[in-house]
Amino acid sequence: MADRTEDALSAAMQRHKCDDSENELYTRFRYSPVEGLGYELGVGRRDPSSIIKVGDFYYVWYTHCTDTRYKWLNADLWYATSPDGYVWTERGPAVERGPAGAWDDYSVFTCNIMVTGGKYYLVYQAESMPERGLGINVVGMAKADSPDGPWEKLPEPVLETAPDGKFEVPDLDQVHKQIVIEKGSWDSKAVHDPGLLVRDGKYWLYYKGHGIGDTMFADSKWGVAIADHPEGPYEKHPLNPITNSGHEVWVWPWKTGVAAMVDWAGPEKGSIQYAEDGLNFEVMATLEDIPPAGGAYIPDKFTDTKEGKGFSWGLCHYGRSDWNFLVRFDCDLERGREKQLAWSYFQHYSTIRDVMVNPGRFNVPPEALLG
Ligand code: AAL
């Protein structure tokens, strides 16, 4: 055994920055049902936007899909309002897909909101009918003078996939069965999950990409495109990709920089990261049970702040392959707020999904998992 000196540190302790209890960017998540946007047979609601407050009401936008074959295709963007974040009233469509032949005639989905200069901007994924689009999406934008619309779509997409790479789809009825002819760059197959921040007087459009020929769509990474005006043109940053992981994009102003919730894809999945310059991210904390596709209420998201304060709640989706609905999460990512980390705040310290989905399979009566 090697000699141990007083100040020797193990490898683990050499890389240890601080305990979770001292880490401002550490949190656990508590979940609660919401009224009005919860489970409903035949209606899928998913990928909620960030939440904003206008007057006495919180607003959220999300993908609304009644085609039970899909979760986000053949869908439109709807919105809902709430006085308290728990009881929501669905207000109906905000932005609907375009007429036959338009670049958004198949689906508009997975959106985010920005408020700046007294105007409201929705950015969202759009796809045209499979015959023409073959599953490659663009990012569209619509603007309005009021969160209740009417929304005016910009005529052209604000972001597109990299033009390289090549694949073929031999059978249009099975568009997911694709043959890669030539591998493309990291965002040649998808530009997904747009999320906007106002930073240094510019508009930062973060997005997730994956490439033609990537082994798995879960090999996704994030990039950013920056514009001088809310409507663009958005220019992809030369450092892209700026993360090596992450699926649904979730960024917010934190202190003088930008924080990112890197959820379930890639080698740094399950982490919160921070970049002083919004570009060079470092892992700050690893987390369990991150809200899928979370959309938080972040009051200073568009104020160009240099003292970003974070957030304490939002909505996310609970998704299965056949149905999706929205739930509320609460957390401890608001600076200055005391963290609620005691076990008693959480029903489950162990969330093995197979047990929770079918407790009977493990000889556990369903009621044993409650309360
Ligand atoms: C989501 C997002 C995008 C993808 C699909 C719907 O979680 O990453 O929106 O296209 O899955």
Side-chain angles (χ1 to χ4, degrees):
M1 200 197 287
D3 282 349
R4 186 191 160 93
T5 57
E6 271 303 291
D7 48 335
L9 279 182
S10 62
M13 289 315 286
Q14 284 178 38
R15 65 175 182 266
H16 176 64
K17 289 189 198 134
C18 67
D19 284 343
D20 283 346
S21 59
E22 293 162 0
N23 189 343
E24 273 188 290
L25 281 169
Y26 174 76
T27 188
R28 301 194 68 189
F29 297 96
R30 305 170 287 279
Y31 292 96
S32 5
V34 291
E35 221 177 285
L37 298 174
Y39 174 77
E40 188 180 334
L41 188 65
V43 182
R45 299 182 181 90
R46 56 174 288 138
D47 288 300
S49 68
S50 284
I51 294 164
I52 59 167
K53 191 168 191 198
V54 185
D56 292 334
F57 288 94
Y58 296 104
Y59 281 73
V60 70
W61 291 261
Y62 48 91
T63 307
H64 182 275
C65 185
T66 50
D67 184 335
T68 47
R69 291 170 304 161
Y70 302 116
K71 291 166 282 184
W72 55 80
L73 296 176
N74 207 4
D76 298 291
L77 295 169
W78 284 40
Y79 79 115
T81 58
S82 167
D84 59 5
Y86 291 96
V87 179
W88 291 86
T89 304
E90 190 159 68
R91 302 275 174 200
V95 174
E96 292 177 286
R97 69 197 96 164
W103 47 265
D104 61 351
D105 64 354
Y106 186 30
S107 202
V108 287
F109 56 113
T110 311
C111 63
N112 228 319
I113 184 78
M114 172 169 75
V115 189
T116 187
K119 286 203 187 298
Y120 299 82
Y121 298 88
L122 272 176
V123 275
Y124 47 87
Q125 291 181 213
E127 274 189 35
S128 55
M129 295 301 281
E131 300 81 74
R132 297 190 307 280
L134 295 178
I136 293 233
N137 77 293
V138 295
V139 171
M141 183 183 262
K143 60 178 174 177
D145 293 328
S146 148
D148 296 296
W151 293 92
E152 183 196 334
K153 289 181 187 174
L154 304 196
E156 298 298 333
V158 292
L159 196 70
E160 298 194 35
T161 49
D164 57 354
K166 211 167 151 204
F167 66 99
E168 272 175 14
V169 177
D171 177 0
L172 274 187
D173 289 329
Q174 301 191 62
V175 281
H176 56 281
K177 291 209 174 137
Q178 304 172 348
I179 299 169
V180 176
I181 314 282
E182 196 187 308
K183 205 169 150 51
S185 46
W186 78 278
D187 62 349
S188 54
K189 187 76 202 298
V191 284
H192 281 169
D193 298 271
L196 282 158
L197 292 183
V198 181
R199 191 173 155 75
D200 301 330
K202 295 187 190 267
Y203 304 91
W204 291 52
L205 176 57
Y206 288 87
Y207 65 99
K208 173 244 280 178
H210 53 93
I212 292 172
D214 277 358
T215 315
M216 287 170 70
F217 74 99
D219 286 342
S220 54
K221 301 173 177 58
W222 298 359
V224 66
I226 301 176
D228 291 333
H229 303 282
E231 295 175 30
Y234 283 90
E235 213 173 294
K236 291 183 182 177
H237 198 283
L239 266 188
N240 287 346
I242 52 166
T243 66
N244 58 33
S245 302
H247 196 79
E248 288 102 356
V249 170
W250 182 349
V251 286
W252 67 97
W254 181 259
K255 300 187 176 173
T256 48
V258 176
M261 187 81 74
V262 174
D263 55 2
W264 59 263
E268 291 177 357
K269 69 179 79 57
S271 64
I272 288 195
Q273 309 205 4
Y274 176 74
E276 184 62 40
D277 59 1
L279 299 167
N280 288 286
F281 284 92
E282 296 285 344
V283 173
M284 303 301 285
T286 55
L287 305 179
E288 287 178 279
D289 207 16
I290 291 181
Y297 172 54
I298 306 168
D300 59 8
K301 194 171 183 194
F302 314 114
T303 60
D304 204 353
T305 181
K306 280 290 179 277
E307 46 178 52
K309 290 199 174 44
F311 54 85
S312 66
W313 69 277
L315 297 176
C316 63
H317 65 223
Y318 179 78
R320 277 186 18 162
S321 46
D322 48 355
W323 42 266
N324 306 265
F325 62 91
L326 301 186
V327 307
R328 174 177 166 128
F329 69 85
D330 284 81
C331 66
D332 303 311
L333 291 172
E334 186 179 311
R335 286 169 61 205
R337 177 184 283 249
E338 198 190 327
K339 293 190 190 279
Q340 299 189 326
L341 299 178
W343 289 114
S344 52
Y345 291 116
F346 305 92
Q347 248 180 17
H348 292 275
Y349 69 86
S350 153
T351 52
I352 301 175
R353 289 175 204 181
D354 285 359
V355 178
M356 297 172 81
V357 166
N358 188 356
R361 202 176 136 221
F362 297 83
N363 291 326
V364 179
E367 55 284 8
L369 286 179
L370 300 172

